[in-house]
Amino acid sequence: MDAESDVALDILITNVVCVFRTRCHLNLRKIALEGANVIYKRDVGKVLMKLRKPRITATIWSSGKVICTGATSEEEAKFGARRLARSLQKLGFQVIFTDFKVVNVLAVCNMPFEIRLPEFTKNNRPHASYEPELHPAVCYRIKTLRATLQIFSTGSITVTGPNVKAVASAVEQIYPFVFESRK
Amino acid sequence: MPGGRVCAACGCSEIEVDAARGDAVCTGCGSVLEDNIIVSEVQFVENSGGGSSAVGQFVSLDGAGKTPTLGGGFHANLGKESRAQTLQNGKRQIHHLGNQLQLNQHCLDTAFNFFKMAVSKHLTRGRKMTHVIAACLYLVCRTEGTPHMLLDLSDLLQVNVYVLGKTFLLLARELCINAPAIDPCLYIPRFAHMLEFGDKNHEVSMTALRLLQRMKRDWMHTGRRPSGLCGAALLVAARMHDFRRTVKEVIRVVKVCESTLRKRLTEFEDTPTSQLTIDEFMKIDLEEECDPPSFTAGQKKLKIQQLEKALSKKLEDFEGEISSYQDEIEIELENSRPKAKGVFANFTKDDSIEDNTSSILGEEEAEDEELEAAANHLNKDFYNELHEKDRLKKSEDGEWKNGKEATVRPPALESLLGPLPTAASLGITESIKECISTKDREPGENTGDGELDLSGIDDSEIDRYILNETEAQIKAELWMKENADYLKEQKEKEARIAKEKELGIYKEHKPKKSAKKREPIQASTAGEAIEKMLEQKKISSKINYNVLRDLNSKGSNTPKKEDDSTDDSTNTKKLSRRKSIASRNIANPVNSVGKRLRPLISTQLAKKAATEEVTFQNAQAEAPDLEKPAAVLVESGPVAYNPDEEVEEEEIEEDDDHCMSALQLMGGN
């Protein structure tokens, strides 16, 4: 982590995506009609329900699968998912809250120094790939953690991974490499 | 082979093989065991010049394939296995594209090697061949360092550059090839040439190179498209050498947007190097390096954000004071509600709204100042809608106005939102309520447990999410209005399907989207189908379309069989005499199936071939079956099952070859 400096790096989690199942068939039309905060997309066959309290947008399919995005922490995601299930219950469906899983976590982190991207790419083949024509950041993939980091020349890093721990350890892993190629 | 063999007749194992004669004979009883043995010796034949050459053919290493046809294959790809076809196809496309890019043979060969590797790793599956080819070529360009951009390739192919980039990245990763990073310096000579500097080309290029290197040190080049930087450098270099190149000309060559170029120029302007004169620049190199422009921009943003925070804090202090006044106002209003003026009296008729507003106000009264401030933040919007500008004034008049506005708020919104009074206002007021009240409950809910059943979840809040009947109806209407187009489409689709079902032609069309395949020709008559197909395919200029059209006009619709059978027979007679190929195609599959087995006709026709010629009536019965297999081949079902057939057959024979090819084409459609 901060092996080489004393500055604490704060990793800000910006988005947590999770899924769960209700194990029962949902009538989208009914949800759309009776929910005050829903958008019904009939052409793709799903309903978007937005909650305010944990700011969450959920995509609900008629098979009972629900994807929940917009939470800022794992707990919040679970909490929001439960509320969602509760509101579906109130609408009259026999909802069972099962198979809850956090699928993706997106976090942002800022390095106190800038980074030389071409140098970094050269030192870190094959994990790093840099195409300035396409995207201004270097895309670094860690297979073991299944995490992807996008490293910008200003020193800010965007990390996506399967859970918060993976994200944190990814940042820890990348720090020494990035430190080498700092400006 | 017959080394360990035993003679079948006498059982002795002494068998003599004579390679010259190709025999295997038993020496005991003399019976011939094998005849015409295939040998693998090299044989020689004599040339015209007197020399001898070996007998044999060259077979390609790639394809195992069958031996080439004796008559000469029609297609190069006929009879080869799929892998060989793919590779050959790929090679052809690589060469085609590479020539457009002016790549030399070595590059093309390397690209083909990459392609072979990609195919063996199954990377071509699920991807457009053109994309993979482009990616291979670009990979070669990168490794060789040619000044070709991905943009060039995408221009040639008319494909989105990001799509190509994705394929390219994947390819590079899978093949474990490290493409060296793009250096903008590589592009300078190419762009300079395009900008036509004449004699001074070299000098301008050198200046531009120096500029680029300076830019690199100043951190302008990381994360930027190399072409943009090149453009900026060239522009400046040109100006330095007294060439007037406008921004537009440079853009056309370099393929970036005008704003990008300007931005690069301004960034360069910010660096200290820009302050040097031309001569100084050529001689001196400044030591210090600058921060990347995005970094400085980020710093600016941070500063602005901090300022904003300080400001907002001050605002909040003010608002805390206002909210306390707000409380007082609202208490007064509760008492003075019936005194509301005439204009607003109408809006207070609806009881439900009244209840809500009173409850809202009641709740608001009970809240803390902080929450009031939050509510005010929300309410600001409504106030703005109502053109309320002096909300922040602390005068009595202002407060009284505020008070009135508070009661007026829900009803006035009603008027604003037009035909949806209840739902809209309720929805919004619900949201205010929710926002205010949930903040109150915040500490409680976060410590909720793991189980679903109600612990930590506030039911009443969730209840608010559920609309009652009238609301639901209104919402349904709204939704219908919004999605009217889609619903219309669906209805039309269903109507169409129902109609087709009636006609018995309904086919289940799965929503597969294959852009390359042509859409199946749907026509109510077979003649129409032929026309459409021919339009698409443009087979031959020798087809007499007039005849085709006549065929259509006189031709039978599929349900009517008996009436038209005779017509058709006369038609085909006429047509066959005119010797048009189209009619051949139509008449032949049915007529001549009996005589000649055309491999390309559907099996159903082939099966029925035997019975066709026998009876006329059978043919009629089979007509409907025949119609179905191939829309194009089968039309005019009951064609010429008549005594004239033999006469026609003779005429048909002449055009055999033509028929074959047209049929093939149609069959291959």
Side-chain angles (χ1 to χ4, degrees), chain B residues 519-539:
Chain B
E519 44 193 359
I521 300 170
Q522 285 161 7
S524 49
T525 66
E528 227 182 291
I530 294 183
E531 259 197 350
K532 284 189 187 168
M533 183 274 306
L534 287 171
E535 271 170 53
Q536 275 188 7
K537 264 230 150 141
K538 298 184 177 75
I539 291 178

Side-chain angles (χ1 to χ4, degrees), chain A residues 106-146:
Chain A
L106 177 77
V108 175
C109 171
N110 235 308
M111 299 286 157
F113 45 78
E114 291 112 56
I115 306 165
R116 288 185 210 272
L117 297 183
E119 202 184 299
F120 178 81
T121 334
K122 256 186 259 178
N123 298 338
N124 288 289
R125 308 243 182 94
H127 298 284
S129 88
Y130 178 40
E131 277 306 305
E133 293 188 20
L134 296 174
H135 191 63
V138 173
C139 179
Y140 189 98
R141 286 181 208 265
I142 304 179
K143 267 197 174 167
T144 49
L145 294 170
R146 288 179 293 135

Side-chain angles (χ1 to χ4, degrees), chain A residues 32-38 40 42 82-83 86-87 90 114-115 125 130-131 133 136 141 154 183, chain B residues 142 173 178 187 219 223 225 290-291 295 449 451 454 459 461-463 465-467 475-476 479 487:
Chain A
L33 281 177
E34 296 179 15
N37 48 348
V38 293
Y40 184 23
R42 190 178 151 177
R82 285 196 300 120
R83 285 181 113 218
R86 179 69 195 137
S87 65
K90 295 217 112 189
E114 291 112 56
I115 306 165
R125 308 243 182 94
Y130 178 40
E131 277 306 305
E133 293 188 20
R141 286 181 208 265
T154 54
K183 197 184 152 192
Chain B
R142 275 296 203 86
R173 203 175 38 225
N178 294 323
Y187 292 138
W219 279 83
R225 286 239 175 117
C290 305
D291 289 332
F295 184 71
D449 284 323
E451 286 185 328
L454 305 183
D459 271 357
E461 182 212 329
I462 292 181
D463 270 335
Y465 283 136
I466 302 175
L467 306 165
K475 185 166 178 192
W479 188 86
L487 288 173

Side-chain angles (χ1 to χ4, degrees), chain B residues 373-506:
Chain B
N376 285 333
H377 267 295
L378 292 164
N379 297 342
K380 255 189 212 168
D381 293 337
F382 303 121
Y383 290 153
N384 289 338
E385 280 185 37
L386 302 167
H387 307 291
E388 180 56 63
K389 287 166 198 167
D390 19 333
R391 196 177 74 84
L392 294 173
K393 281 191 195 155
K394 294 172 193 174
S395 65
E396 277 298 323
D397 291 343
E399 285 166 6
W400 180 241
K401 260 193 213 170
N402 277 347
K404 250 200 251 163
E405 293 298 344
T407 43
V408 167
R409 194 194 336 120
L413 279 171
E414 204 179 342
S415 63
L416 282 172
L417 296 168
L420 309 166
T422 21
S425 63
L426 277 176
I428 294 164
T429 50
E430 275 182 10
S431 72
I432 305 169
K433 212 173 160 196
E434 191 246 323
C435 277
I436 296 164
S437 49
T438 48
K439 286 205 172 151
D440 193 22
R441 289 188 212 95
E442 202 173 330
E445 282 174 319
N446 274 337
T447 58
D449 284 323
E451 286 185 328
L452 183 60
D453 289 25
L454 305 183
S455 50
I457 294 178
D458 182 46
D459 271 357
S460 56
E461 182 212 329
I462 292 181
D463 270 335
R464 255 176 270 122
Y465 283 136
I466 302 175
L467 306 165
N468 66 30
E469 272 202 29
T470 47
E471 295 161 1
Q473 223 179 353
I474 291 163
K475 185 166 178 192
E477 277 179 35
L478 247 190
W479 188 86
M480 289 293 174
K481 259 189 237 172
E482 278 235 19
N483 298 52
D485 296 332
Y486 177 71
L487 288 173
K488 225 197 289 178
E489 270 178 49
Q490 292 293 84
K491 277 190 196 154
E492 283 171 11
K493 193 177 172 189
E494 278 174 31
R496 195 170 29 100
I497 291 174
K499 221 203 291 180
E500 283 182 354
K501 269 194 175 146
E502 280 172 39
L503 295 176
I505 315 175
Y506 177 62

